[in-house]
Amino acid sequence: MGEFELIRRYFMTGQQGQGVVTGIGDDCAVLQVPSGQQLVVSIDTLVEGTHFLPGTAPRHVACRLLGAAVSDLAAAAATPAWLTLALTLPRSDPDWLEPFAAALAERATELGIRLVGGDTTRGETLTLSAQVHGFVPSGEALLRRGAQAGDRILVSGTLGDSRAGLETLLRPPAPHADVHYLQQRFYRPEPRLALARQLRPHVRAGLDISDGLLADLGHLLEASGLGADLWQDRVPRSAVLQRFYPRDALVWALSGGEDFELCLSVAAEEVPACLKVAERLGVLLTDIGCVTAAPGLRVLDAAGQVRTGLASGYDHFKDSI
Ligand code: ADP
Ligand code: MG
């Protein structure tokens, strides 16, 4: 199967979509940004052996790729619009491409994003890059900078599950219903799109947690030249995580990475409004600490003592799975 036949067969589906003047098949996609909106763009790459284990089912690769990429749009409080996909494949294998393309199309529809172009090449290591494009009303993108001393730090969902899911793949435990939940959390990130958009008017700064809470909150604080006190016992962990990996749960929640939950800096008086929004959406939102004028991120134990020696998170340039 040649390059163009592959593209036609697997990726040239459903060409219509909002703002798509010309989609797959020409030299460029031609896209119309609605007036009054800004385009926000982000790209994410998955490399086999670095971001996912060799032999991972193609549908999982598709869900992970899209979930991680679209989570960056959620972190900007943007609405997803268009997707471009760069694929480097060791071989043109229909048994891999067929389920990959089907899962990609299904997940893209669920997330409200449309494939409008890409590039397909042969190479030794399976590598996938998803570039996502979304809209925000002009001037309203949620950024990492803008936090102020005294702000509360809120996180969505529970942290550490994804790292536990990876653990079940690296060192498989005996079959158990909890394993499925944890692996889903690793394979199928759920970008907090609606939550971010609805919280936007109440939030000063924010990002999504991809490298681990400590690392990413560190980035947010750095962008504003501030610090924070964070109460480790308040960091939300799922019942499954605590039951299945009681000894690792806290460290993974603090530093595990790939949670794709939101971490937000919110003026104290806006916290009740935020909690109301989250409750309406059925998403857990937890106050885990506060922003301080003193730089540095301090993790406090139950007695209020500062913990030391905690690893901050993943470094995908150095670490591989
Ligand atoms: P060019 O050589 O002009 O870059 P290509 O032959 O690489 O064009 O691609 C032909 C068309 O197919 C382009 O519109 C491109 O955006 C699209 N395309 C290529 N690979 C993919 C892919 N993996 N997913 C979606 N569209 C793709
Ligand atoms: Mg090309």
Side-chain angles (χ1 to χ4, degrees), residues 1-32:
M1 186 174 20
E3 179 191 346
F4 202 75
E5 172 60 12
L6 185 157
I7 296 163
R8 199 192 56 74
R9 190 179 301 178
Y10 296 111
F11 299 109
M12 231 169 173
T13 50
Q15 292 289 292
Q16 299 315 304
Q18 197 211 354
V20 182
V21 181
T22 300
I24 296 171
D26 218 303
D27 293 313
C28 293
V30 181
L31 306 165
Q32 185 71 49

Side-chain angles (χ1 to χ4, degrees), residues 59-141:
R59 68 178 194 286
H60 291 324
V61 175
C63 285
R64 186 104 193 293
L65 179 71
L66 273 192
V70 171
S71 177
D72 280 321
L73 295 178
T79 300
W82 308 306
L83 168 70
T84 52
L85 173 69
L87 275 183
T88 301
L89 304 167
R91 67 200 76 83
S92 133
D93 173 7
D95 289 340
W96 191 90
L97 280 161
E98 175 83 51
F100 172 80
L104 188 86
E106 187 185 325
R107 193 69 180 124
T109 301
E110 286 168 5
L111 293 170
I113 199 160
R114 185 163 299 269
L115 186 64
V116 297
D119 197 25
T120 306
T121 56
R122 191 184 293 271
E124 268 173 38
T125 306
L126 175 60
T127 305
L128 310 97
S129 293
Q131 184 166 38
V132 291
H133 309 70
F135 306 134
V136 288
S138 289
E140 288 183 21

Side-chain angles (χ1 to χ4, degrees), residues 230-250:
L230 191 154
W231 296 83
Q232 65 176 22
D233 294 335
R234 295 193 195 166
V235 174
R237 282 151 275 169
S238 69
V240 173
L241 175 66
Q242 310 230 66
R243 187 162 65 222
F244 214 75
Y245 291 108
R247 271 185 316 185
D248 300 299
L250 178 62

